[in-house]
Amino acid sequence: MRWREPSWRGPRTTLPSPGWRFPLKPVFHLQDLERRRVWKSLVETAYVCKGDENSALGVQQTVTWLPWKVESGNHRDFQPASDRLMEEHSVLGRKRGFSESNMASSSRMQNVVPRPGFSALHRLRKKRKGQRVKDPLDDLLLKTLTSQRAMEERFLQMEERRFQRDLDVEERRMQLEQRRFELEREHEFRMFNVFAQMLSILKQSHSGSSSSIAMPRGLDFSQALSEITGLRGGGGGDLQELRARPLAERRVDMHGFCHQGDFQKSPYLSARGNIANIFRGSTEEGYKAYHADKYDEDKNPNGIINFGTSENKLCFDLMSKRLTQTDMNLMEPPLLQYPDWKGHMFLREEVARFLTYYCKAPAPLKAENVIVLNGCGSLFSALATVLCDPGEAVLIATPFYGGITQSVFLYGNVKLVYAYLDSKITGTSTRPFQLTVEKLEKALQDARAEGITVRALILLNPQNPLGDIYSLSELRDYLEFAKRHELHVIVDEIYMLSVFDESATFHSVLGMDRLPDPQRTHVMWGISKDFAVSGIRFGTLYTENQDVANAVASLCYFHGVCGPVQHKVAQLLRDRDWINQVYLRANHARLKAAHTYVTDELKTLGVPFLNRNAGFFVWIDFRKYLRTGTFEEEMLLWRRFLDNKVLLSCGKAFECSEPGWFRIIFADKTHRLQLGMQRIRKVLEEREQEILAEEKEQPCQSDQDGKADSTDEVIFVSRHQEPTCSGSSNLGDLIGLLQQQMRSSDWLQKNTAEQFAQEKPEIYDVFSKLVGKQ
């Protein structure tokens, strides 16, 4: 048999006998339609049967019967082979679920004429492979794997952040522990110093000589105690100079941190108008700066954070939801008409029930004694106007909320007489800035000695900015003092429901069994603080004196509350279940958490403060960051904070007698608290470095500054006490100081005699023998 070169033309030829192998490359003959259909069907069946050994074997056997083009041969073996091929092909198709018609149609769809030198089987496989890549299941699988990978990466990132956060928390906890340990040691040392000073005085009084008690070698207790309890250089002189000035001069420089020389007299205003202009310029400088550059997390992240305005920003979600419910939206004709100037009767009745419940009044309060105005500021103005004549005065303890000065002065030309409180623990005082009857008596007598008539006493309970809550005995003492001198008592209880710690108990004047002088006792309250709605101007006065009530009501023409707002307030105060079960619980928890965060940050910085449990504020001592103890330096520090985009309230705004005290508002969201405290920390660190650098350059002129009296609840007990030494100190003062030191920490509970005997038995035995010999 002779082979020809492959050609696509020529006569039809026959196939060789089955099983015969070709030594040369076969050539497809495509002119026969039957053989071409059989070939394509066979290829399709081979794909379908892929993976099946029996089917693959059948296909392999069938390949030997393929029609190859040869030059010579005979036809006789092709027909039987073709029949057998078709039979095997049909059997294989039926095994895989294909009919002959289906396979035939599939072959027709794939009837592509092959090109010379290119394998049809290779083209078919490539085409099928491309179709498999475009399978929707493949796309879905790819997307699933991609999403899974992204989720895994996100999870790893979250784990890294959590790990870093845990490290930061642990580091901060270690810093707090270290700081607390150092402060406890300092506190212990201070207690021993005071105790040694007391022993020295007792020995002097017993022996009648000026010799001092023997001290351990190398430790000068007198010098250490003087440093601990000494006044700041310049600060005490400034205070004494301030107190030595006549009362009239003191009242001229109200809010003296902004001098009148900074303002020019306007020819368009009266003298009273110019004074009002000066008041606005001095007290609202920071407030105007804040509104011009207000912080916004998205729109203005570098804006000013307001820690100066006493607002509760923690419960807007609760109040907005409650104030938009259907029972609040009522619009009836009486609400759109002029009301009784004292307020709608339905609101006054609800206020009386509300105060009876929350003030724990021994008897139901009466609606006819209730007056409604647009805020407690208006109430201060109205009361000052109807109780005092122009030029007369009202007695108040400092520091106090500075807005009262404007309220009583701008309208009625009523002055304020100050009973100065300070951080020193002296006399009968047991805590810093404690108000006593003795201090009230002294301030009243000084005013009368200058010919000033004092008509009333203002009490803030809880106190702003100190956060003090007066006890029942203290309230009774203050009211008895006022009765002796025939003074009206204006009690502002606007933070009544903002006592956020269960350990503190608020006592309202309206809850007392008996008032010393009920006709001269007037109680104020409002919703702006306790219900976090300072934008809704609503305040109420309760007084049993109908003459005062009617006089104030006549001024309600200028300070009335619109009808729809009166309806909303009445509905709010009526919903006792929501107030007790939802609002107060959430509000107290949020206030406590925010207070804890800010005070922990202050402890980390080593800044003294008053630790109280009422209101929205913390009274902080920044005196060690002043170069000199003057109000000018305080103002410079205040501006330094404002330049670093955080607004605080300086002590002069509250008429504090000691420069360097600031008030910070903590009733704010966590992210603003964190950013604001970071900015405060930055200012304090920079200021501390500047002061240290100046002290190195001028060591002889540097002040021996100390921390201030901070609190009787935490261990931040101050170095700012009256200077004492063995020759001039008072034993009563030292006893009071020692009591305050003992109350300021749990040192005595941790260091009992029994515990000391167990830890150091040898030293305890020696000490016991020495005591036994005395």
Side-chain angles (χ1 to χ4, degrees):
M1 182 182 299
R2 184 172 59 85
W3 288 94
R4 288 192 339 173
E5 288 295 326
S7 173
W8 296 99
R9 297 194 182 107
R12 294 181 59 180
T13 59
T14 60
L15 288 173
S17 60
W20 197 86
R21 299 292 183 267
F22 297 100
L24 299 179
K25 180 178 180 180
V27 178
F28 297 121
H29 198 289
L30 304 177
Q31 296 179 359
D32 191 305
L33 296 178
E34 180 182 358
R35 283 181 291 175
R36 183 169 55 193
R37 180 176 60 81
V38 172
W39 164 248
K40 292 182 179 293
S41 300
L42 178 62
V43 172
E44 182 179 15
T45 305
Y47 271 94
V48 173
C49 300
K50 183 171 60 176
D52 190 336
E53 280 190 13
N54 296 329
S55 300
L57 181 60
V59 173
Q60 183 178 5
Q61 293 176 354
T62 309
V63 170
T64 59
W65 293 87
L66 292 177
W68 309 110
K69 182 177 180 180
V70 294
E71 184 178 42
S72 63
N74 69 55
H75 262 112
R76 62 180 182 272
D77 293 327
F78 177 75
Q79 188 64 33
S82 176
D83 295 341
R84 187 170 57 189
L85 179 63
M86 292 299 298
E87 291 175 1
E88 294 178 359
H89 174 45
S90 301
V91 170
L92 292 175
R94 285 192 299 272
K95 287 182 179 180
R96 295 298 173 181
F98 292 94
S99 63
E100 290 187 8
S101 60
N102 290 338
M103 290 187 290
S105 64
S106 175
S107 299
R108 285 192 297 272
M109 291 173 63
Q110 300 175 8
N111 187 14
V112 179
V113 178
R115 291 175 293 178
F118 194 84
S119 171
L121 182 60
H122 176 71
R123 291 198 308 274
L124 189 58
R125 287 179 177 176
K126 186 174 181 181
K127 184 175 182 180
R128 291 294 180 92
K129 185 176 180 181
Q131 291 176 353
R132 287 198 301 273
V133 173
K134 297 179 181 179
D135 192 345
L137 293 177
D138 294 341
D139 295 338
L140 180 61
L141 180 60
L142 180 61
K143 293 179 180 180
T144 303
L145 293 176
T146 304
S147 301
Q148 181 179 0
R149 181 176 181 181
M151 292 173 63
E152 291 175 353
E153 293 177 353
R154 177 64 176 169
F155 177 75
L156 291 177
Q157 294 176 0
M158 293 176 63
E159 285 295 311
E160 292 177 358
R161 292 178 182 177
R162 184 185 64 80
F163 181 71
Q164 184 63 36
R165 185 169 60 252
D166 293 342
L167 290 179
D168 295 340
V169 171
E170 182 65 20
E171 182 180 358
R172 181 181 173 187
R173 187 188 66 81
M174 294 296 294
Q175 292 177 355
L176 288 175
E177 289 295 328
Q178 180 66 22
R179 179 62 183 168
R180 179 166 291 275
F181 174 75
E182 294 174 357
L183 291 170
E184 285 181 352
R185 293 296 300 272
E186 182 181 354
H187 179 76
E188 180 180 347
F189 177 67
R190 190 177 299 117
M191 287 181 61
F192 281 120
N193 284 337
V194 177
F195 186 68
Q197 190 76 7
M198 292 173 59
L199 291 179
S200 176
I201 296 175
L202 290 174
K203 185 173 181 180
Q204 291 176 19
S205 61
H206 179 70
S207 61
S209 64
S210 60
S211 61
S212 60
I213 189 171
M215 296 293 175
R217 187 175 181 181
L219 185 61
D220 188 352
F221 282 96
S222 299
Q223 181 180 358
L225 185 60
S226 177
E227 179 183 354
I228 290 172
T229 61
L231 288 169
R232 289 180 58 100
D238 194 2
L239 173 60
Q240 299 300 329
E241 180 183 356
L242 175 65
R243 293 184 174 179
R245 292 163 55 189
L247 290 176
E249 294 183 16
R250 290 187 229 164
R251 290 190 299 274
V252 170
D253 190 25
M254 289 169 282
H255 299 277
F257 58 89
C258 191
H259 301 287
Q260 297 183 20
D262 296 338
F263 298 89
Q264 294 183 356
K265 182 177 179 180
S266 172
Y268 304 104
L269 299 176
S270 64
R272 184 167 51 186
N274 278 286
I275 293 176
N277 189 28
I278 292 175
F279 262 101
R280 176 174 177 80
S282 62
T283 58
E284 298 191 3
E285 179 182 356
Y287 194 64
K288 290 193 297 184
Y290 162 68
H291 278 281
D293 188 18
K294 186 183 299 186
Y295 169 83
D296 186 273
E297 188 176 4
D298 300 321
K299 300 178 181 179
N300 189 20
N302 296 321
I304 297 175
I305 295 178
N306 188 0
F307 287 168
T309 305
S310 184
E311 291 182 302
N312 185 348
K313 300 176 182 177
L314 296 173
C315 296
F316 290 157
D317 56 333
L318 300 176
M319 291 306 302
S320 61
K321 182 178 180 180
R322 181 64 187 90
L323 293 175
T324 53
Q325 292 181 1
T326 55
D327 64 319
M328 294 288 181
N329 301 322
L330 179 67
M331 198 63 63
E332 295 181 347
L335 301 180
L336 303 179
Q337 299 170 358
Y338 289 123
D340 181 346
W341 296 125
K342 292 183 178 181
H344 283 289
M345 182 53 69
F346 68 84
L347 174 59
R348 294 160 61 194
E349 291 175 348
E350 201 58 52
V351 169
R353 286 191 289 266
F354 180 88
L355 295 178
T356 300
Y357 178 80
Y358 287 103
C359 294
K360 298 180 175 58
L365 302 179
K366 299 178 181 179
E368 55 265 25
N369 298 334
V370 174
I371 305 171
V372 173
L373 279 80
N374 61 343
C376 288
S378 299
L379 279 171
F380 274 119
S381 298
L383 285 172
T385 301
V386 302
L387 298 180
C388 305
D389 290 325
E392 294 181 340
V394 175
L395 178 61
I396 190 171
T398 69
F400 64 91
Y401 167 58
I404 297 176
T405 305
Q406 298 182 58
S407 299
V408 303
F409 177 74
L410 291 183
Y411 271 10
N413 192 21
V414 176
K415 308 299 189 297
L416 290 175
V417 171
Y418 303 144
Y420 287 101
L421 309 181
D422 48 49
S423 60
K424 296 180 291 297
I425 308 296
T426 58
T428 59
S429 300
T430 59
R431 63 178 184 269
F433 296 100
Q434 182 177 359
L435 176 61
T436 61
V437 174
E438 290 77 7
K439 297 175 182 178
L440 293 175
E441 290 277 5
K442 184 179 184 304
L444 180 61
Q445 296 304 325
D446 291 345
R448 288 179 174 176
E450 296 186 17
I452 299 174
T453 302
V454 179
R455 293 291 187 184
L457 167 67
I458 293 178
L459 295 176
L460 310 179
N461 186 35
Q463 216 275 352
N464 178 10
L466 302 178
D468 277 336
I469 302 174
Y470 297 136
S471 64
L472 278 176
S473 60
E474 289 177 323
L475 288 173
R476 190 173 293 106
D477 292 341
Y478 304 150
L479 295 179
E480 291 288 352
F481 159 80
K483 181 180 179 180
R484 287 195 303 270
H485 298 284
E486 297 184 349
L487 300 179
H488 290 269
V489 181
I490 303 171
V491 186
D492 181 6
E493 297 183 351
I494 196 169
Y495 293 97
M496 172 179 67
L497 300 181
S498 297
V499 181
F500 51 84
D501 197 301
E502 296 178 355
S503 62
T505 303
F506 170 77
H507 300 283
S508 172
V509 168
L510 297 177
M512 299 177 65
D513 294 334
R514 183 187 62 84
L515 292 175
D517 192 354
Q519 291 297 310
R520 288 190 174 91
T521 304
H522 321 290
V523 182
M524 298 164 45
W525 180 79
I527 65 172
S528 60
K529 311 298 183 183
D530 285 340
F531 284 97
V533 285
S534 55
I536 298 179
R537 308 306 302 145
F538 172 85
T540 183
L541 172 69
Y542 188 87
T543 178
E544 296 183 10
N545 190 320
Q546 290 302 309
D547 293 335
V548 174
N550 293 330
V552 171
S554 65
L555 297 178
C556 291
Y557 179 83
F558 309 106
H559 306 287
V561 181
C562 66
V565 172
Q566 291 193 40
H567 170 74
K568 288 181 180 291
V569 173
Q571 290 297 109
L572 177 65
L573 301 183
R574 184 179 295 118
D575 195 353
R576 202 74 51 78
D577 291 338
W578 179 82
I579 293 174
N580 293 332
Q581 302 300 325
V582 179
Y583 178 77
L584 289 182
R585 288 185 179 182
N587 186 36
H588 291 168
R590 296 175 185 181
L591 286 174
K592 187 173 183 179
H595 178 269
T596 301
Y597 173 79
V598 171
T599 53
D600 286 347
E601 289 293 320
L602 294 174
K603 292 175 185 178
T604 304
L605 292 171
V607 175
F609 60 93
L610 285 182
N611 191 25
R612 300 294 185 259
N613 300 312
F616 311 149
F617 29 75
V618 179
W619 191 237
I620 307 175
D621 177 18
F622 285 151
R623 285 184 289 179
K624 69 178 181 180
Y625 299 101
L626 303 184
R627 293 183 176 88
T628 59
T630 62
F631 289 109
E632 287 75 13
E633 277 292 314
E634 178 185 271
M635 190 61 186
L636 291 176
L637 182 59
W638 177 82
R639 292 187 185 279
R640 185 78 167 267
F641 285 123
L642 189 61
D643 292 341
N644 283 267
K645 304 298 183 178
V646 59
L647 175 62
L648 302 180
S649 298
C650 59
K652 186 58 180 176
F654 305 94
E655 293 298 334
C656 183
S657 60
E658 300 175 1
W661 289 88
F662 282 72
R663 188 190 73 173
I664 182 174
I665 302 300
F666 62 82
D668 210 332
K669 295 295 185 180
T670 303
H671 66 279
R672 286 194 290 266
L673 288 179
Q674 293 174 345
L675 182 57
M677 292 306 297
Q678 291 176 6
R679 295 176 180 179
I680 291 175
R681 177 190 292 269
K682 178 184 177 183
V683 172
L684 296 181
E685 291 177 350
E686 292 176 354
R687 190 65 175 239
E688 190 171 14
Q689 294 297 326
E690 294 172 0
I691 294 176
L692 290 176
E694 293 177 0
E695 289 180 352
K696 291 180 180 179
E697 295 177 358
Q698 300 176 347
C700 297
Q701 299 179 5
S702 62
D703 296 331
Q704 297 297 327
D705 295 336
K707 295 178 183 178
D709 222 341
S710 58
T711 173
D712 54 345
E713 285 84 4
V714 297
I715 59 176
F716 289 94
V717 183
S718 112
R719 298 175 180 171
H720 192 82
Q721 305 286 349
E722 284 290 351
T724 59
C725 62
S726 59
S728 60
S729 57
N730 183 287
L731 182 60
D733 293 344
L734 286 175
I735 292 175
L737 177 60
L738 183 61
Q739 290 175 347
Q740 194 270 342
Q741 298 286 344
M742 293 168 62
R743 294 178 64 245
S744 62
S745 77
D746 55 354
W747 185 87
L748 289 178
Q749 287 75 18
K750 293 181 179 179
N751 299 274
T752 60
E754 294 78 7
Q755 182 180 358
F756 183 74
Q758 294 177 0
E759 294 179 353
K760 300 178 181 180
E762 299 84 1
I763 301 177
Y764 181 76
D765 292 339
V766 174
F767 181 77
S768 299
K769 293 178 181 180
L770 290 174
V771 173
K773 293 180 181 180
Q774 299 295 327

